[in-house]
Amino acid sequence: MKSNILICFFCLLFMMQKTEAKIFDSVSDSILNNIQSTIYNAFISDISKQTSTLEKLKEQLIEIDKSNQNRTVMYWRSYLQFYRTILHSQTGKKDQAKAEVELGMDILNNLSNKSSEEFTLLARLESIALQFAGMNMMSLSKSMNDNIQRALQLDKNNLRANFVFGAIDYYTPPAFGGGKKAEQYLLNAIELPNQKDQRKYEPTWGKDEAYEMLINFYLKNGEKDKAKKYFEEASKNYPRNYQLMALKEKVME
């Protein structure tokens, strides 16, 4: 009798654990579905309507992975920190921006065996953190360059890795060897697919930004024909991208 009761108890416990797992998966799925767009739209809402949507979304992501074991959630938490950094930078809250980008970097630095995507996002966060680095600028710059190189070594056909490498070179002063590789890597980025495999929850960002930077690169170097060519191409692919459309006057004048 006792053994039967114990068996029933453990069966019940197992069923409860499975139910909790399903609930966790369901909640995770509802939050992570279209998470990239959700984060960007939250950023737009916060900066235009002065809401706190990013903060609420941050709390939701933390809640579904309290033990920091889910790499997907940790990636998107870090991606969200990128936009919180931009938000505070644009509203003049430099100390808060510094804290936000450092948190984003910490999240990714805590991951072992990072993927190409994780190294890429980390390098991008480090590139933003340089403005707050002070005496640590040289070491942070080295880490940024090392991480984007690792991203490319792991996957040379990663759109985002090519874009971020191109962006780093674009913003590196010529005195420090910058500006020599930006064009090629930005061209690579716009030719590569957003995702090689259509996997749920995986990032697709970068191509519109690569177009924007490439057009600015050609405008900066007086190559109006190339700037116009890629603006027309970008306009077809991203007709609602405000930052790209803002370049129209410069390209067409």
Side-chain angles (χ1 to χ4, degrees):
M1 176 69 74
K2 288 183 178 179
S3 61
N4 288 337
I5 293 172
L6 283 172
I7 290 170
C8 290
F9 172 77
F10 284 117
C11 286
L12 181 61
L13 181 62
F14 177 71
M15 290 175 66
M16 288 174 65
Q17 288 174 337
K18 285 189 69 177
T19 302
E20 287 173 359
K22 287 181 180 179
I23 292 171
F24 177 84
D25 290 342
S26 176
V27 172
S28 299
D29 188 74
S30 65
I31 295 171
L32 291 172
N33 191 34
N34 296 319
I35 186 63
Q36 181 177 301
S37 297
T38 301
I39 290 171
Y40 180 74
N41 290 335
F43 165 73
I44 295 298
S45 176
D46 283 359
I47 205 161
S48 60
K49 301 177 184 177
Q50 296 184 332
T51 62
S52 55
T53 313
L54 278 174
E55 178 63 28
K56 292 175 184 175
L57 186 55
K58 175 182 176 180
E59 291 171 0
Q60 290 178 315
L61 289 171
I62 292 172
E63 181 64 24
I64 65 173
D65 187 31
K66 292 178 180 178
S67 59
N68 291 336
Q69 296 296 314
N70 189 306
R71 299 183 78 99
T72 300
V73 176
M74 293 177 76
Y75 178 91
W76 290 114
R77 281 182 59 198
S78 185
Y79 184 78
L80 184 146
Q81 291 303 126
F82 167 79
Y83 278 105
R84 282 180 65 84
T85 302
I86 301 300
L87 175 68
H88 290 309
S89 292
Q90 292 190 0
T91 53
K93 300 173 182 176
K94 300 297 182 184
D95 289 342
Q96 286 177 262
K98 181 176 184 291
E100 299 289 358
V101 75
E102 287 176 350
L103 176 56
M105 289 156 52
D106 286 344
I107 292 169
L108 291 174
N109 276 321
N110 285 330
L111 292 177
S112 59
N113 301 316
K114 283 185 266 295
S115 68
S116 177
E117 294 290 1
E118 290 159 351
F119 274 123
T120 297
L121 182 54
L122 178 56
R124 190 173 199 192
L125 287 165
E126 288 173 327
S127 72
I128 297 174
L130 284 174
Q131 62 186 297
F132 312 115
M135 297 295 289
N136 296 320
M137 183 175 288
M138 292 301 292
S139 61
L140 185 60
S141 179
K142 183 181 185 307
S143 178
M144 173 189 70
N145 283 293
D146 288 346
N147 284 327
I148 197 59
Q149 289 290 351
R150 291 186 186 107
L152 288 165
Q153 286 167 8
L154 287 169
D155 185 0
K156 66 179 181 180
N157 293 320
N158 181 341
L159 181 162
R160 282 157 291 284
N162 279 271
F163 161 60
V164 172
F165 184 95
I168 289 170
D169 185 77
Y170 179 87
Y171 286 115
T172 299
F176 294 96
K180 297 177 182 178
K181 299 179 180 179
E183 179 183 13
Q184 185 56 59
Y185 279 86
L186 293 172
L187 286 169
N188 291 346
I190 66 171
E191 291 299 324
L192 289 165
N194 291 337
Q195 283 185 351
K196 288 187 292 184
D197 304 310
Q198 296 302 311
R199 291 177 292 180
K200 202 172 185 180
Y201 311 142
E202 292 296 306
T204 59
W205 58 268
K207 186 172 286 194
D208 54 345
E209 295 172 275
Y211 268 114
E212 181 192 352
M213 191 166 289
L214 186 63
I215 294 163
N216 276 316
F217 175 87
Y218 288 132
L219 289 173
K220 181 180 176 181
N221 288 283
E223 299 180 83
K224 281 285 188 70
D225 289 343
K226 288 183 179 180
K228 184 177 180 181
K229 172 188 174 182
Y230 288 106
F231 175 79
E232 290 174 348
E233 194 174 297
S235 298
K236 293 176 183 177
N237 295 326
Y238 304 100
R240 297 182 180 180
N241 186 298
Y242 171 77
Q243 289 174 300
L244 276 169
M245 295 306 103
L247 293 171
K248 184 174 182 178
E249 189 174 339
K250 290 182 180 179
V251 172
M252 299 303 179
E253 67 182 13

